[in-house]
C-alpha cells in the first residue's frame, strides 16, 4: 500500500503509469476523431472560416485588452481561493507564488493527456515544498475543486433560468431545476439536523463506519475534518467562507466576461438571453477532459451553441477563436514560463534548503498524482503517520 515504508514511490509511479496508459487509448481515439472532424469542417466550411478570419482582422484592440484583463482577473480569483485555504490551514505561502503555481498547473493540464492528474500532483508537490502540511495540501485541492464545481453549477442554473422556457436549452431546464431543488433540500435538512448534538454524533458515527470500509473515504474524511478544525480555530463561523465562495464564482464570472468582451470587441451583438447558458454548458463539456485543455470539444460546443442563440456561423467561429486564444493559447507559454521560474527559484535556494521537505514532497506528489485531488491523505495509517505528523506540526507552528 501507499503508506508502507519502502516501495511507496515505485508503487505510486507504477499506478500512475498504469492510469496514464489506460487513458491514452481513449485520448488518441477522441483526438483522431476531432482531427478528422476539423479537417471535414475546414474543407466544407472554408467560406465561413475565411469570413471569420476577416472579422478577427477588424477586432477593436482596446476592447480586446479589456477581454484579456478579465481573463487575468479570472486566474487571479482562482489563485486567491487556494491562497485563502492555505492560510486558513496555517500555511504561509505568498499569493504571487500561488498564482505562479496556478498558471503552471493550468498549462500542464492543458498540454498533456490526462493532464489534470499531472497538474494536481505538481500543485501538491509545490505546496508541500513551500511548507504546507501533507493533509492540508491535498485538502486544499479537494475543497477548491468542490467550490469551483458548485460555482459552475450555480452559473448553469442561472443561465438556464435566464434563457427562458423556450430555446435551445429549454429541455435541460427541468433537470437543472430538479437538481437545484434536491441540493437545497439536502442542505436545508443537513443544516437543520446539525443543530441537534445527538443527531450530529450519530451522523459522525455512520460516516466513520462508511470510511472504515473504504480507505479513500476515510482519508477524505480525515483531511476535511482536520482542515475544518484548523479553519474553525483561526476563522470560526460560516461567514468567512463567503469570501472564498465568492472568489470561486468570480473565477467563472470573469472568464464569462472575457467571452462577452470577445463578442463586443468584434462588434457583434451579444446574445444576452443565452450567453450564460452557452458559457456554462461549454465549460461542462470541456470539464470532461476528453482532450488536453478541451481542445476541439470547447471549440465545437461553443460555436454550435452561439449559432443556436442567433449568431451566424462566421461570427460564432470568430468569437470562439478569439476567446480560445485568450483563455488557452496565450496562457500556455505563460504557464510553462511560470513553472520554469518556480523550479529555478527552488534550485537557487541551494541543495540544503529543504532536503527533508523535498523528500517527503516527492513521496506525497506521487501519491497525489495517483489519487487525484484527494492526494496527501493516502498514507493515513501504518508507517505513513510520521511524515504526516511532521507536515501538520510545521503547519500548526506557522498558524
Amino acid at each position: 500500500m501507499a503508506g508502507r515504508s519502502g516501495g511507496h514511490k515505485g508503487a505510486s509511479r507504477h499506478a500512475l503509469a498504469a492510469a496514464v496508459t489506460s487513458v491514452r487509448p481513449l485520448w488518441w481515439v477522441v483526438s483522431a476523431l476531432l482531427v478528422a472532424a476539423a479537417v471535414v469542417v475546414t474543407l466544407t466550411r472554408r467560406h465561413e472560416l475565411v469570413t471569420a478570419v476577416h472579422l478577427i482582422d477588424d477586432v477593436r484592440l482596446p476592447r480586446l485588452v479589456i477581454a484579456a484583463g478579465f481573463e487575468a482577473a479570472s486566474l487571479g480569483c482562482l489563485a486567491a481561493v487556494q491562497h485563502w485555504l492555505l492560510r486558513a490551514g496555517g500555511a504561509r505561502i505568498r499569493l504571487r507564488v500561488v498564482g505562479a503555481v496556478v498558471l503552471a498547473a493550468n498549462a500542464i493540464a492543458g498540454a498533456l493527456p490526462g493532464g489534470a492528474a499531472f497538474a494536481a500532483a505538481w500543485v501538491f508537490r509545490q505546496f508541500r515544498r513551500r511548507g504546507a502540511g501533507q493533509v492540508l495540501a491535498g485538502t486544499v485541492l479537494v475543497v477548491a475543486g468542490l467550490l469551483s464545481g458548485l460555482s459552475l453549477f450555480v452559473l448553469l442554473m442561472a443561465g438556464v433560468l435566464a434563457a427562458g422556457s423556450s430555446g435551445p436549452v429549454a429541455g435541460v431546464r427541468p433537470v437543472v431545476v430538479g437538481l437545484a431543488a434536491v441540493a437545497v433540500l439536502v442542505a436545508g435538512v443537513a443544516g437543520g439536523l446539525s443543530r441537534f448534538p445527538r443527531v450530529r454524533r450519530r451522523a459522525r458515527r455512520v460516516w466513520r463506519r462508511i470510511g472504515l470500509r473504504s480507505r479513500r473515504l476515510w482519508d477524505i474524511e480525515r483531511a476535511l475534518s482536520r482542515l475544518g478544525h484548523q479553519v474553525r480555530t483561526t476563522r470560526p463561523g460560516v461567514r468567512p467562507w463567503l469570501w472564498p465562495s465568492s472568489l470561486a464564482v468570480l473565477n467563472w464570472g470573469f472568464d464569462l466576461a472575457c467571452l462577452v468582451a470577445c463578442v463586443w470587441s468584434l462588434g457583434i451583438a451579444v446574445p444576452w438571453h443565452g450567453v450564460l447558458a452557452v458559457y456554462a454548458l461549454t465549460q461542462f463539456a470541456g470539464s470532461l477532459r476528453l482532450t488536453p485543455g478541451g481542445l476541439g470539444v470547447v471549440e465545437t460546443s461553443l460555436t454550435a451553441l452561439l449559432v443556436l442563440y442567433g449568431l451566424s456561423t462566421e461570427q460564432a467561429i470568430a468569437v470562439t477563436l478569439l476567446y480560445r486564444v485568450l483563455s488557452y493559447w496565450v496562457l500556455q507559454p505563460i504557464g510553462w514560463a511560470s513553472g520554469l521560474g518556480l523550479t529555478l527559484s527552488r534550485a537557487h535556494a541551494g541543495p540544503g534548503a529543504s532536503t527533508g521537505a523535498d523528500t517527503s514532497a516527492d513521496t506525497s506528489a506521487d501519491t497525489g498524482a495517483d489519487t487525484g485531488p484527494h492526494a496527501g491523505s493516502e498514507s493515513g495509517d501504518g508507517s505513513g503517520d510520521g511524515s504526516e505528523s511532521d507536515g501538520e506540526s510545521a503547519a500548526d507552528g506557522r498558524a
Side-chain angles (χ1 to χ4, degrees), residues 333-396:
I334 295 176
W336 288 107
S338 298
L340 179 61
L342 290 170
T343 303
L344 292 177
S345 67
R346 296 300 299 174
H348 289 325
S354 55
T355 306
D358 288 346
T359 303
S360 61
D362 291 338
T363 305
S364 307
D366 289 325
T367 306
D370 187 14
T371 60
H374 307 309
S377 52
E378 188 71 23
S379 56
D381 57 359
S383 61
D385 292 340
S387 60
E388 183 176 312
S389 301
D390 293 341
E392 288 171 4
S393 299
D396 293 340

Side-chain angles (χ1 to χ4, degrees), residues 84-85 88-89 226-237 240-241:
W84 187 93
L85 292 171
R226 291 185 183 185
L227 179 62
H229 174 72
Q230 288 176 327
V231 171
R232 285 193 302 270
T233 301
T234 56
R235 305 184 184 189
W241 286 93

Side-chain angles (χ1 to χ4, degrees), residues 3-44:
R4 295 178 183 173
S5 59
H8 166 77
K9 189 180 296 185
S12 297
R13 286 176 178 171
H14 177 72
L16 176 58
V20 173
T21 303
S22 64
V23 171
R24 190 174 298 168
L26 176 62
W27 182 83
W28 282 115
V29 170
V30 174
S31 298
L33 291 175
L34 291 173
V35 170
V39 172
V40 172
V41 170
T42 302
L43 294 177
T44 59

Side-chain angles (χ1 to χ4, degrees), residues 32-57:
L33 291 175
L34 291 173
V35 170
V39 172
V40 172
V41 170
T42 302
L43 294 177
T44 59
R45 299 286 183 178
R46 286 175 294 179
H47 175 70
E48 288 87 349
L49 288 172
V50 172
T51 306
V53 172
H54 288 321
L55 287 174
I56 295 176
D57 288 339

Side-chain angles (χ1 to χ4, degrees), residues 1-335:
M1 300 297 291
R4 295 178 183 173
S5 59
H8 166 77
K9 189 180 296 185
S12 297
R13 286 176 178 171
H14 177 72
L16 176 58
V20 173
T21 303
S22 64
V23 171
R24 190 174 298 168
L26 176 62
W27 182 83
W28 282 115
V29 170
V30 174
S31 298
L33 291 175
L34 291 173
V35 170
V39 172
V40 172
V41 170
T42 302
L43 294 177
T44 59
R45 299 286 183 178
R46 286 175 294 179
H47 175 70
E48 288 87 349
L49 288 172
V50 172
T51 306
V53 172
H54 288 321
L55 287 174
I56 295 176
D57 288 339
D58 297 330
V59 67
R60 281 79 164 176
L61 289 179
R63 299 180 182 182
L64 189 62
V65 172
I66 294 176
F70 282 134
E71 189 61 32
S74 173
L75 289 168
C77 290
L78 180 60
V81 170
Q82 297 189 16
H83 182 255
W84 187 93
L85 292 171
L86 288 167
R87 288 183 64 85
R92 296 294 181 261
I93 304 177
R94 294 181 180 180
L95 178 59
R96 62 180 181 84
V97 175
V98 178
V101 170
V102 167
L103 283 170
N106 181 69
I108 294 171
L112 301 175
F118 287 103
W122 193 84
V123 172
F124 182 86
R125 176 175 294 186
Q126 293 300 316
F127 288 164
R128 288 286 288 124
R129 285 182 172 176
R130 285 161 176 80
Q134 184 174 350
V135 172
L136 175 62
T139 308
V140 165
L141 294 176
V142 176
V143 176
L146 289 175
L147 290 176
S148 180
L150 290 173
S151 301
L152 183 56
F153 179 75
V154 169
L155 288 182
L156 176 61
M157 183 176 61
V160 170
L161 294 177
S165 57
S166 61
V169 299
V172 185
R173 188 175 187 182
V175 178
V176 174
V177 173
L179 290 175
V182 171
V184 171
L185 178 62
V186 171
V189 172
L193 293 178
S194 65
R195 294 181 176 272
F196 300 96
R198 182 176 298 178
V199 174
R200 196 163 55 243
R201 286 194 297 269
R202 288 183 178 178
R204 188 178 293 113
R205 290 195 201 103
V206 172
W207 177 243
R208 286 181 177 175
R209 288 174 183 173
I210 296 174
L212 289 175
R213 297 179 182 178
S214 172
R215 180 183 180 126
R216 182 165 295 183
L217 288 177
W218 175 254
D219 291 338
I220 295 172
E221 177 198 344
R222 292 194 314 116
L224 291 177
S225 62
R226 291 185 183 185
L227 179 62
H229 174 72
Q230 288 176 327
V231 171
R232 285 193 302 270
T233 301
T234 56
R235 305 184 184 189
V238 178
R239 190 172 299 176
W241 286 93
L242 296 177
W243 175 242
S245 300
S246 300
L247 288 172
V249 174
L250 287 174
N251 169 39
W252 296 110
F254 280 124
D255 192 50
L256 169 62
C258 175
L259 174 61
V260 172
C262 288
V263 179
W264 180 48
S265 67
L266 292 171
I268 302 171
V270 180
W272 292 109
H273 63 290
V275 67
L276 185 53
V278 167
Y279 174 79
L281 289 172
T282 299
Q283 294 303 325
F284 267 108
S287 66
L288 297 176
R289 297 290 184 181
L290 295 177
T291 60
L295 280 173
V297 177
V298 172
E299 287 80 1
T300 303
S301 303
L302 183 56
T303 301
L305 288 170
L306 287 174
V307 170
L308 289 175
Y309 274 99
L311 270 63
S312 66
T313 304
E314 299 88 346
Q315 292 174 334
I317 293 175
V319 171
T320 299
L321 292 176
L322 199 59
Y323 168 72
R324 288 293 278 170
V325 166
L326 294 180
S327 63
Y328 177 77
W329 291 107
V330 169
L331 297 180
Q332 280 295 304
I334 295 176

